[in-house]
Amino acid sequence: MSIRENIAEIRRRIDEAARETGRTGADITLVGASKMNDAAACQEAIAAGIDVLGENRVQEMVAKLAENAYDGAPLHFIGHLQRNKVKQVVGKAALIQSAGSVELLDEIEKQAEKLNIVQDILLEVNIGGEAAKSGFAPEAVEAAAAHAKELPHVRVRGLMTIPPAGAARDENMVYFEKVHALYVDINRKMYNNELDYLSMGMSGDFADAIRAGSNMVRVGTAIFGARDYTK
C-alpha cells in the first residue's frame, strides 16, 4: 500500500477508536514519525494530509530541513533530546515532545531566550520507571510543570509518554490510563484546562491510546513501512 493509502486506513481506525470515547478522528492529531524516511516520503505524507511530521534524531532532522522535507506541515521533535543538541532544535520544531528533565527544560529556556521566542514543549512521562528511558517519574511531573511555568520562554502544551517495550496490551492500557489521569489532574490544577495535547500511542497501540484519552498519536511504520536498521 502507498503512504496515502496507509494514512487513509489509519485515519479510519483513529476515527473508529475516537468515536468510542465520544470524539471523532478530527479531534486526534496524527503525527507521521518519519525517522529513516527521506524527504520525498515526507512530502508524500504531507500531500496525503498528514497533520504533523515528527523526527527522532537531530542530525536527520537538520539534514531534511535543508531539503525542505517538512514544507507544508508542522515539525515536531519526538525523540530523546540531548542538552548539547538543543540549539539545533529550538526554533526549528514547532513542538518538542520529549522534554524529560529539569536540566533539559532549562537548556531549552536558555536557547529560546537567545532567539527571543517561546518554545512549545510536552513533558515526557517515564510511566514505566525504565532506567534506560528518559522522562519524568509520574510523581515528579507536577513539580516539573511548576518549574516550566517559571520559564518565560518555555510553554507546556501537554504530556507525552511511551509505555515500556514489550508490555502486553492490558498493561499498556493501564499505563495510558495513568498518564491520562495525570494529564487531567495537572491540566485542571495548574493550567485551567488550557493544555492541548496528550501524546500517546504509536503504530502498534494508537487505537488503545485513543480509547484511554490520547488526542495525539505518533505513527511511523504503519505509514511509511518497516524501517531498515541495517543501513
Side-chain angles (χ1 to χ4, degrees):
M1 292 176 70
S2 68
I3 287 173
R4 179 176 293 276
E5 290 169 326
N6 288 340
I7 289 175
E9 172 59 16
I10 290 160
R11 293 276 194 202
R12 184 194 65 78
R13 293 175 58 196
I14 285 173
D15 187 67
E16 185 178 78
R19 287 181 184 279
E20 295 179 32
T21 68
R23 299 173 292 169
T24 73
D27 299 308
I28 313 299
T29 300
L30 175 58
V31 180
S34 47
K35 180 174 74 172
M36 299 177 68
N37 287 277
D38 62 15
C42 292
Q43 281 296 301
E44 192 175 341
I46 291 168
I50 199 77
D51 296 322
V52 174
L53 284 172
E55 285 296 345
N56 290 71
R57 297 170 174 173
V58 173
Q59 187 174 353
E60 182 178 352
M61 185 197 84
V62 170
K64 281 152 73 170
L65 276 168
E67 299 172 324
N68 301 313
Y70 314 113
D71 286 6
L75 170 64
H76 291 185
F77 190 80
I78 60 176
H80 175 64
L81 182 56
Q82 297 171 302
R83 278 181 285 162
N84 64 350
K85 294 185 177 179
V86 163
K87 61 186 176 185
Q88 295 173 273
V89 177
V90 169
K92 301 291 195 302
L95 183 67
I96 298 172
Q97 295 202 24
S98 47
S101 72
V102 168
E103 294 79 10
L104 184 57
L105 287 171
D106 289 343
E107 189 63 33
I108 293 170
E109 164 66 22
K110 185 166 73 174
Q111 294 299 328
E113 183 179 16
K114 287 179 182 178
L115 297 174
N116 194 30
I117 64 169
V118 176
Q119 177 65 57
D120 286 347
I121 61 117
L122 303 184
L123 297 172
E124 181 176 359
V125 184
N126 186 350
I127 192 59
E130 298 169 276
K133 191 176 285 181
S134 59
F136 293 101
E139 61 273 16
V141 174
E142 188 170 330
H147 180 79
K149 286 192 80 169
E150 298 301 313
L151 303 176
H153 299 88
V154 169
R155 178 169 58 178
V156 176
R157 301 292 300 277
L159 305 182
M160 183 271 266
T161 199
I162 305 170
R169 180 180 176 184
D170 57 342
E171 294 175 306
N172 267 3
M173 284 299 290
V174 171
Y175 290 128
F176 289 146
E177 288 164 356
K178 285 181 178 178
V179 178
H180 178 255
L182 263 178
Y183 172 79
V184 170
D185 186 53
I186 289 172
N187 202 6
R188 177 181 54 82
K189 289 199 307 190
M190 301 181 67
Y191 289 94
N192 196 29
N193 292 316
E194 292 180 353
L195 294 182
D196 300 296
Y197 301 125
L198 178 56
S199 179
M200 307 190 299
M202 298 187 291
S203 288
D205 56 17
F206 67 82
D208 282 341
I210 291 167
R211 293 183 185 104
S214 174
N215 63 12
M216 177 179 281
V217 296
R218 310 176 305 277
V219 181
T221 57
I223 291 175
F224 297 102
R227 299 183 178 104
D228 183 358
Y229 287 95
T230 66
K231 292 182 179 179

